[in-house]
Amino acid sequence: MSRSGNRLLLAATLVYLWGGLALDLVIAVLAWMHPQLWFGFFHAGTPQGLEIALLRRAAGQWAAFALAQAAALLWFRRAPVWLAIMAGIRFSDLFTDLFYLLAARPLTPHGWWVLAPLPLMNLGGVWLLLRCHAMMARTPRRGPKRKRVLAVASG
């Protein structure tokens, strides 16, 4: 891949990670703090007791995703394995998103508009993160420049 292609891949990865961090933070806070708003917006319904508990459980998962994405944003340049870790996390979320779409009925038009693209976005994110990880693993990293000390033989 060319140098400009590498920069584009890295930029897309950063956009994906920052976007995922923002999305996961927003939905975690919304689900935890305002479950009635969640159910009204996505399902046009009123939640029952156990539904709120399960939604708050999901909020904990989204908060964990946000924490992992923040860690990846901080450390992936020094340790590209963080991109592979995030790919695994996003891969697991692909299935929870699909199962939610299949099971959580009825969905409002807003619900379909917001939730239906998420499995594809996660699948694309898995591909993007793994591709960037492979690119970074192939690219030699430059460490800090060390001064060479020349030993001068006296004599």
Side-chain angles (χ1 to χ4, degrees), residues 124-136:
V126 168
W127 176 84
L128 176 68
L129 293 166
L130 290 176
R131 182 130 185 214
C132 190
H133 173 262
M135 182 262 308
M136 291 183 77

Side-chain angles (χ1 to χ4, degrees), residues 10-126:
L10 184 60
T13 300
L14 286 169
V15 167
Y16 183 80
L17 287 172
W18 279 109
L21 175 62
L23 175 67
D24 287 332
L25 281 175
V26 167
I27 62 176
V29 169
L30 177 65
W32 184 263
M33 302 292 290
H34 306 286
Q36 289 79 9
L37 182 61
W38 177 281
F39 283 99
F41 183 80
F42 290 115
H43 302 289
T46 305
Q48 304 301 316
L50 189 55
E51 290 171 334
I52 292 174
L54 289 172
L55 181 62
R56 286 186 169 154
R57 181 185 183 279
Q61 189 69 31
W62 293 319
F65 290 172
L67 179 63
Q69 285 175 152
L73 282 163
L74 286 172
W75 298 318
F76 83 92
R77 290 179 195 264
R78 283 179 276 156
V81 71
W82 275 97
L83 296 174
I85 291 168
M86 278 312 307
I89 290 170
R90 284 291 159 204
F91 186 70
S92 72
D93 201 31
L94 185 151
F95 293 98
T96 57
D97 289 342
L98 282 173
F99 279 49
Y100 190 82
L101 286 172
L102 292 173
R105 298 292 169 92
L107 286 173
T108 64
H110 298 63
W112 280 109
W113 186 78
V114 172
L115 299 173
L118 293 178
L120 291 175
M121 290 174 64
N122 278 320
L123 183 61
V126 168

